[in-house]
Amino acid sequence: MIKMSTAQPLKKIASCVILDLDGTLLNTDGIVSDVLRVYLGKYGMQWDGREVQKIVGKTPLEAASAVVEAYGLSCTTSELLSEITPMFSNQWCNIKALPGANRLIKHLSGHRVSMAMASNSPRENIETKISFHQGWKESFSVIIGGDEVRLGKPSPEIFLEVAKRLNVDPSSCLVIEDSLPGITAGKAAGMEVVAVPSIPKQSHLYTSADEVINSLLDLQPEKWGLPPFQDWIKDTLPIEPWHIGGPVIKGFGRGSKILGIPTANLSTEGYGSLLSEHPSGVYFGWAGLSKRGVFKMVMSIGWNPYFNNTEKTIEPWLLHDFDGDFYGEELRLIIVGYIRPEANFSSLQSLIEKIHHDRKVAEEALDLPLFSKYKDDPYVKSST
């Protein structure tokens, strides 16, 4: 049974979609952190990401200026740019598409929806980055870089130029952006804007956007008069399977005690970059325990807004009644589907009810051949 995403009241009919690149379609943040970590290390300083809000969505010159100022570097902005630009160029081939990016581009392109790309990055950098992603360049009718306009975002100039080249009214354009400068620019251009914040736990800053979603997986095109996705199956979205594993550790002490739900916590040590690739939310798949076998599993990734975690965690719930705990045992997971974005709840009871609903959705989905076949995945079975 194929299910379309739940219909919502139409917000406005969009005739074209304008996408940002870095942080919206590409997971550029990890590369930025790696390069700045190496560069600042030469000065005996440590990139801790505290200034990330000052550089997200900015032009390269503005971002470099923010780093020089924040760390009190002795070099000029131009000197910093000339040193780190080659370091970035060597990494463009390693930037991964964010979850949902390929799905969105293929969907819109397949339905002949007009698409444009507007980024504060220089045009040459844009061309290089997207060249590593098959089918992207030819999907966009217009591509404009920050060096092709007088002022970059938050000025609306780049978006107005896109509308002009597409010969459409700005009010009929839907912008999808991850940064505050981009959202400000889109609204100033008179366009509808969907925000997909790339900085964790900051969605409250994006109030000027017409809609804020957790990730591209949660976009509902039909809200904007665009063709709906038709790939949801029984309230779940199949995703490209991925793996994670390690010994079971003691968690926050709230799974069994507070929620009555015994989660098998995994250490995130060494998995920071892997977890950063996946949006917070509720997922499901199969779990292999070294001494017990393979079991159905539903899990959360994120900060658990109700408990307000300070770190991004992964909390799997193995859907089986075990006798006793299994701390220290090797646990291997294959994640095969997505259920919903992370959410906050007004009460503990409503959180518990939602988690049990997630369990029901996962259990039923994992009986489908599409998902049940992964029970025999070599990575999961090798743990047993």
Side-chain angles (χ1 to χ4, degrees):
M1 168 187 153
I2 293 181
K3 172 187 174 294
M4 288 184 246
S5 46
T6 309
Q8 296 282 335
L10 205 63
K11 288 180 178 286
K12 201 165 186 177
I13 294 179
S15 63
C16 71
V17 177
I18 306 174
L19 291 155
D20 174 52
L21 180 61
D22 300 304
T24 301
L25 294 175
L26 291 181
N27 185 19
T28 318
D29 295 351
I31 300 293
V32 170
S33 293
D34 290 345
V35 167
L36 289 175
R37 197 174 287 118
V38 170
Y39 181 81
L40 291 169
K42 292 196 286 187
Y43 284 86
M45 297 178 183
Q46 190 173 357
W47 168 254
D48 57 11
R50 70 178 189 268
E51 302 301 330
V52 70
Q53 276 179 275
K54 292 183 179 178
I55 65 173
V56 168
K58 300 292 178 69
T59 64
L61 193 64
E62 290 168 338
S65 177
V67 171
V68 169
E69 185 181 342
Y71 286 87
L73 302 181
S74 56
C75 65
T76 65
T77 299
S78 298
E79 287 168 345
L80 171 61
L81 268 181
S82 65
E83 279 199 60
I84 64 173
T85 297
M87 296 168 72
F88 278 125
S89 299
N90 292 336
Q91 294 294 324
W92 293 152
C93 58
N94 297 323
I95 303 178
K96 294 182 180 179
L98 283 161
N102 278 308
R103 171 184 178 241
L104 176 61
I105 291 171
K106 283 179 185 171
H107 175 73
L108 295 177
S109 180
H111 285 89
R112 302 195 179 283
V113 175
S114 182
M115 273 190 291
M117 182 176 288
S119 167
N120 265 351
S121 289
R123 175 64 181 265
E124 186 182 353
N125 289 2
I126 296 171
E127 297 276 358
T128 305
K129 289 174 195 173
I130 65 175
S131 69
F132 298 104
H133 298 272
Q134 191 174 356
W136 281 25
K137 183 176 180 180
E138 49 269 35
S139 296
F140 293 93
S141 306
V142 171
I143 297 174
I144 302 182
D147 57 341
E148 297 179 278
V149 289
R150 196 171 49 86
L151 293 171
K153 307 167 194 175
S155 162
E157 185 183 346
I158 195 166
F159 288 127
L160 293 173
E161 181 61 26
V162 167
K164 182 180 170 186
R165 292 194 195 180
L166 289 175
N167 195 27
V168 296
D169 192 279
S171 65
S172 69
C173 298
L174 176 65
V175 170
I176 302 177
E177 267 281 357
D178 73 298
S179 73
L180 289 172
I183 289 152
T184 302
K187 292 311 298 176
M191 299 178 176
E192 301 295 300
V193 179
V194 173
V196 195
S198 57
I199 303 175
K201 302 173 79 171
Q202 298 295 319
S203 57
H204 61 283
L205 299 176
Y206 291 75
T207 50
S208 62
D210 297 284
E211 184 181 23
V212 182
I213 58 176
N214 184 60
S215 77
L216 291 177
L217 299 177
D218 305 307
L219 183 69
Q220 295 182 353
E222 63 272 25
K223 285 187 177 183
W224 311 96
L226 298 167
F229 287 113
Q230 298 193 0
D231 50 0
W232 283 81
I233 301 167
K234 286 197 169 183
D235 295 323
T236 68
L237 178 65
I239 60 171
E240 190 69 33
W242 57 281
H243 303 98
I244 192 169
V248 177
I249 61 168
K250 283 188 180 291
F252 300 97
R254 63 185 179 220
S256 298
K257 293 174 188 169
I258 300 176
L259 300 172
I261 295 162
T263 53
N265 294 74
L266 277 176
S267 169
T268 55
E269 195 172 335
Y271 285 117
S273 60
L274 177 63
L275 286 185
S276 75
E277 292 172 16
H278 299 282
S280 59
V282 176
Y283 298 79
F284 64 95
W286 296 95
L289 270 173
S290 53
K291 299 175 184 175
R292 299 165 194 260
V294 180
F295 306 93
K296 291 179 176 179
M297 173 276 301
V298 64
M299 71 179 202
S300 69
I301 296 178
W303 289 267
N304 203 323
Y306 186 82
F307 295 103
N308 196 23
N309 293 357
T310 54
E311 291 181 11
K312 195 173 188 179
T313 61
I314 178 167
E315 299 181 39
W317 180 17
L318 277 56
L319 306 180
H320 180 81
D321 293 326
F322 294 94
D323 296 324
D325 55 44
F326 36 84
Y327 294 125
E329 273 193 51
E330 181 74 12
L331 174 65
R332 292 192 173 188
L333 309 176
I334 180 169
I335 296 90
V336 299
Y338 175 75
I339 296 176
R340 64 174 176 86
E342 191 172 48
N344 204 346
F345 294 87
S346 56
S347 69
L348 188 62
Q349 185 57 37
S350 59
L351 168 60
I352 292 169
E353 286 171 5
K354 192 64 173 175
I355 294 173
H356 281 282
H357 180 261
D358 294 334
R359 172 183 182 150
K360 183 173 180 288
V361 170
E363 283 188 316
E364 290 180 3
L366 287 165
D367 285 333
L368 299 171
L370 175 68
F371 298 123
S372 63
K373 64 184 179 184
Y374 292 107
K375 185 177 183 179
D376 296 322
D377 181 74
Y379 175 79
V380 173
K381 294 200 82 171
S382 65
S383 68
T384 62

